[in-house]
Amino acid sequence: MNDRRSSGGGGLRAGALGTFDSVVMAVAGCGPAYTVVALVPALVVAAGLAAPAVLLFCVIPMVGIALAFRYLGRLDVSSGATYSWVARALHPFLGFLSGWAVVVATILFIIASTTPAGSATLLLFDEGLAGNDLLATAVGLGWFLLIAALVASGARIAARVRAVAVGVQLVLLLAVAAAALTQDGHAAEFSFSWFGFGHFDATHTFTAGALIASALYWGWDVTANLSEETRGGRGGSGLGGLIGLLTVAATLLTLTVSANVLLGPGAVTSTEGGFLRQLGEAAWPGMGGTLLVLAVPLSMVATLETTLLQATRTLFAMGRDRTIPSLLGRIHPRRQTPVVSTLVVVAVTVTALVLTAGVGSEVGFLEDALRGIGLLIAFYYALAGIAVTVACRSVLSASVGNLVFLGLWPLAGAVFNVWVFVASIPTLSGRALAIGLGALALGLVPVTVARFQGGRSFFRPRPLNPQYADTAEDHFAGSPAGAGPAGGRRDGLLSDF
């Protein structure tokens, strides 16, 4: 495996981001305001008053996956993240398919979210304009092209824009939630029973809710793909992803409890696309709805930007390893950003949007694409959870902390995602299955071509193992300060827990 990654970026701008930037990026990747308006009503339909319980119990295994990303990132600083880790810990073919799943899922999400981003922007001015699909697509595409230009200009510039967008949306969401929990006139009284299993019944099941919750918690892992550009990449990016996931979980839990209190399950399920507006109006009559609607385009723009970063960095790592055309592994000589992979993602997105706009929204491709993405997410999350346990098997018995944080918890996260993958299949349409499973199977073509081209270092990786932690420090000799193991420990594992 190419060691350029470990030395500070293989050409990417090392030290462009800090741990705070990683936290912001993780929150932006999940897009709390966007996921609230898009998925929380569906979660309430599936789980009723028990929606907070679903979010609470589903974040526990997801933290296991965040821990897996954190520790794997300590052992291998790579913009490819799971693409590299799974290849070194399990098998190169599985590693490539993990990276392929990330690329396909992120590009599909960008395509599927661009038009809603335009609609959310137009909704601020005129509800009638927001219903015009062509106009919404054009506005969303304008946002996307602006974001792509920011990404290509350098991660530092984009980070400032993202921090503002994330900060504003979190303040708005939490302020409305706080108002909801402190005023009179509630639809229901708060109850701790919402965090238990007593409200599940034949029509409100944990399984149905968990399938939605898994999508709500996706996106924080973009921090791993920017580890080569993060100061203290062996620890900073992983810590940022973990803190970001917990921040999003707390925000979603608070908003869901607020929805139960202010609106009740019946009102939430009857709200046609205006759930967030209705929640805001109930909390702050006269202005709350408008403020929360403002949070949606901010959230979507930030999420589009982080998703683009994740796609381009993964493609860059693949191009650098020559498992796909090496052209995608090129960087801008001055900006030190993967300019070719960025242009490729932009070209694919624009082409797909033109085609879908041409055939019309009634075809439902974008909705099926979003559902198919869930299979890809569960696939690469599960492999990451397994990879850290396999890679660190020699040190699991060294301490209780190692056993829990490197073994049992990530493995529980892997089992949860395998269950999500299997349980989702019967619920998806044929087209959604074709998009999810078909896109994954399509990845066998480039990896097979790359394998038989011969002599690729990717297919002869150095094993990913904590025993290499000592020698790994040698690779950081020329890196910026702080790029080594957190806390100065040579094992680089549990030093900050």
Side-chain angles (χ1 to χ4, degrees), residues 7-332:
S7 62
L12 293 175
R13 182 183 297 171
L17 302 171
T19 300
F20 173 77
D21 298 314
S22 291
V23 174
V24 171
M25 192 150 348
V27 176
C30 291
Y34 171 54
T35 54
V36 164
V37 75
L39 295 176
V40 165
L43 177 63
V44 174
V45 170
L49 287 172
V54 173
L55 289 173
L56 177 63
F57 289 109
C58 286
V59 78
I60 295 173
M62 195 59 70
V63 168
I65 300 302
L67 289 171
F69 271 71
R70 176 155 173 69
Y71 297 131
L72 289 168
R74 291 287 185 87
L75 299 176
D76 181 15
V77 177
S78 171
S79 61
T82 54
Y83 158 79
S84 171
W85 303 334
V86 173
R88 294 182 61 186
L90 301 179
H91 194 279
F93 273 87
L94 289 177
F96 183 89
L97 289 179
S98 292
W100 185 263
V102 172
V103 171
V104 173
T106 50
I107 292 178
L108 284 174
F109 180 83
I110 291 170
I111 295 169
S113 299
T114 299
T115 298
S119 295
T121 303
L122 291 171
L123 187 61
L124 294 173
F125 304 98
D126 189 301
E127 291 189 20
L129 292 178
N132 187 320
D133 287 340
L134 286 177
L135 182 58
T137 299
V139 173
L141 184 58
W143 273 122
F144 173 70
L145 293 176
L146 176 61
I147 292 165
L150 287 173
V151 169
S153 68
R156 182 68 258 170
I157 296 176
R160 295 190 181 98
V161 176
R162 183 191 321 109
V164 173
V166 168
V168 171
Q169 67 174 294
L170 283 181
V171 168
L172 290 175
L173 290 174
L174 294 177
V176 168
L181 297 175
T182 56
Q183 67 173 247
D184 298 325
H186 297 157
E189 291 296 325
F190 171 81
S191 173
F192 283 104
S193 67
W194 296 344
F195 297 95
F197 288 88
H199 291 282
F200 291 113
D201 52 37
T203 57
H204 301 113
T205 66
F206 179 82
T207 299
L211 299 180
I212 299 169
S214 62
L216 281 163
Y217 288 135
W218 176 54
W220 54 267
D221 52 303
V222 64
T223 59
N225 297 97
L226 288 163
S227 59
E228 297 184 22
E229 298 157 88
T230 303
R231 293 186 295 277
R234 290 186 78 189
S237 61
L239 180 61
L242 182 59
I243 295 174
L245 171 61
L246 294 175
T247 301
V248 169
T251 303
L252 293 177
L253 273 168
T254 304
L255 262 294
T256 306
V257 169
S258 300
N260 278 355
V261 169
L262 278 180
L263 305 179
V268 170
T269 58
S270 65
T271 303
E272 295 293 334
F275 160 68
L276 208 56
R277 182 188 291 275
Q278 185 177 354
L279 180 64
E281 285 295 330
W284 291 338
M287 68 178 204
T290 301
L291 287 175
L292 282 195
V293 169
L294 173 63
V296 177
L298 289 174
S299 176
M300 297 187 72
V301 168
T303 303
L304 281 173
E305 188 247 343
T306 54
T307 308
L308 177 61
L309 285 168
Q310 192 169 17
T312 56
R313 268 53 180 182
T314 305
L315 283 172
F316 165 77
M318 293 172 136
R320 183 173 57 189
D321 286 338
R322 294 180 172 83
T323 53
I324 58 176
S326 60
L327 182 67
L328 279 82
R330 293 185 179 180
I331 62 169
H332 191 281

Side-chain angles (χ1 to χ4, degrees), residues 14 20 83 125 149 154 197 319 324-325 347-348 380 396 406 408 449 468 470:
F20 173 77
Y83 158 79
F125 304 98
F197 288 88
I324 58 176
V348 170
Y380 80 84
L396 292 181
L406 304 181
L408 298 180
V449 171
Y468 290 104
D470 288 344

Side-chain angles (χ1 to χ4, degrees), residues 405-484:
F405 293 120
L406 304 181
L408 298 180
W409 207 339
L411 196 58
V415 171
F416 172 76
N417 279 281
V418 169
W419 172 72
V420 168
F421 186 96
V422 173
S424 295
I425 291 177
T427 70
L428 299 178
S429 67
R431 182 163 50 191
L433 287 173
I435 292 171
L437 298 181
L440 190 61
L442 188 63
L444 293 172
V445 176
V447 72
T448 302
V449 171
R451 179 66 183 87
F452 287 102
Q453 283 182 342
R456 300 302 188 204
S457 62
F458 178 81
F459 295 97
R460 298 189 303 275
R462 185 168 60 113
L464 192 61
N465 193 305
Q467 294 175 354
Y468 290 104
D470 288 344
T471 58
E473 289 199 350
D474 296 337
H475 297 299
F476 287 87
S479 300

